[in-house]
Amino acid sequence: MRYDVLRDFDRTTSPRAALSRWDAQPDSLQPVGESQNFVYRFRDPAENVRYLRLTHDSHRTRPLV
């Protein structure tokens, strides 16, 4: 993992921006882990637990996303 990615990742804005694309409860967002990915747990409107994984773009090309 590139250490500059870990250092420069905005742990407040980026996960919330990604979560806004899902039908989710924003206040339920909790960090779970951080290594080559940033993993967060959140709840959907039905109270189901879901996971959000954010990774550097060098791990996934745009067409794969």
Side-chain angles (χ1 to χ4, degrees):
M1 177 78 182
R2 294 178 30 198
Y3 292 104
D4 59 322
V5 172
L6 287 172
R7 184 189 64 235
D8 297 339
F9 180 73
D10 182 346
R11 290 166 176 81
T12 303
T13 305
S14 297
R16 293 211 177 275
L19 193 65
S20 72
R21 299 173 188 271
W22 297 87
D23 190 17
Q25 299 174 9
D27 294 339
S28 68
L29 188 66
Q30 299 176 338
V32 174
E34 181 176 299
S35 60
Q36 289 196 17
N37 304 293
F38 295 89
V39 180
Y40 295 85
R41 177 177 39 237
F42 67 93
R43 293 191 177 276
D44 66 15
E47 295 293 324
N48 296 309
V49 174
R50 305 289 184 193
Y51 290 87
L52 169 67
R53 180 177 68 101
L54 302 173
T55 188
H56 190 264
D57 61 3
S58 65
H59 293 269
R60 245 343 121 128
T61 63
R62 189 117 172 100
L64 286 176
V65 174

